Amino acid sequence: MRSRIAATVGAVALLAAALTGAGAGTAGAATAPAVASVARLGGFSCPGTPVPTGYVITMFDKGGCNGAGAWLQQPARDGIWTCSGSPVVSGYVITNYDPTGCAGVGGWQHRLVRNGIWTCPYSPIPAGYRSTTYDATGCNHLGAWYTIRA
């Protein structure tokens, strides 16, 4: 039951980030101590720091940024695991979920879109593709949709 709740929380966080365009960690920034946010390509950043275009968040360090937590930003690539709330780079879809990934905040696997790929809930479906068949056990029991060229 606890893993289902964690999965739901992770899915909601990903959806909220996708709909608002916010990077991971921004919700906690209001309650975290004031820390300098410096955007560094390919490095750790503090909550509230925008994720550069083409990058995703792949790791969380709970003790970073003076206890506010730090997020590792890396360039997107096929098969990379990202943290819940990470942006999904254009041309990629979400294909798997690990509720314990990313230091417990949940992890999502990103893959380049292609014909016949299974996608998780809240995954963007790029133009020219559509979802068809549903599998309730896919994406670690969150459900998955078979995605094909339209």
Side-chain angles (χ1 to χ4, degrees), residues 89-139:
V89 173
S90 180
Y92 286 81
V93 291
I94 302 166
T95 60
N96 205 351
Y97 175 68
D98 177 3
T100 62
C102 201
V105 298
W108 298 89
Q109 188 173 38
H110 289 208
R111 293 253 180 218
L112 287 168
V113 67
R114 66 179 182 278
N115 193 43
I117 197 166
W118 287 91
T119 58
C120 295
Y122 313 113
S123 176
I125 304 300
Y129 288 86
R130 64 184 176 92
S131 297
T132 59
T133 308
Y134 176 73
D135 175 5
T137 64
C139 291

Side-chain angles (χ1 to χ4, degrees), residues 57-69:
I57 298 169
T58 59
M59 188 183 304
F60 180 62
D61 175 8
K62 294 176 186 179
C65 295
N66 298 324

Side-chain angles (χ1 to χ4, degrees), residues 10-118:
V12 169
L14 181 65
L15 177 61
L19 293 176
T20 64
T26 56
T31 59
V35 291
S37 271
V38 178
R40 292 185 311 197
L41 294 180
F44 278 94
S45 63
C46 295
T49 303
V51 178
T53 301
Y55 280 67
V56 291
I57 298 169
T58 59
M59 188 183 304
F60 180 62
D61 175 8
K62 294 176 186 179
C65 295
N66 298 324
W71 302 93
L72 180 62
Q73 300 174 357
Q74 293 186 319
R77 66 180 182 279
D78 193 33
I80 196 168
W81 281 88
T82 66
C83 297
S84 290
S86 175
V88 179
V89 173
S90 180
Y92 286 81
V93 291
I94 302 166
T95 60
N96 205 351
Y97 175 68
D98 177 3
T100 62
C102 201
V105 298
W108 298 89
Q109 188 173 38
H110 289 208
R111 293 253 180 218
L112 287 168
V113 67
R114 66 179 182 278
N115 193 43
I117 197 166
W118 287 91

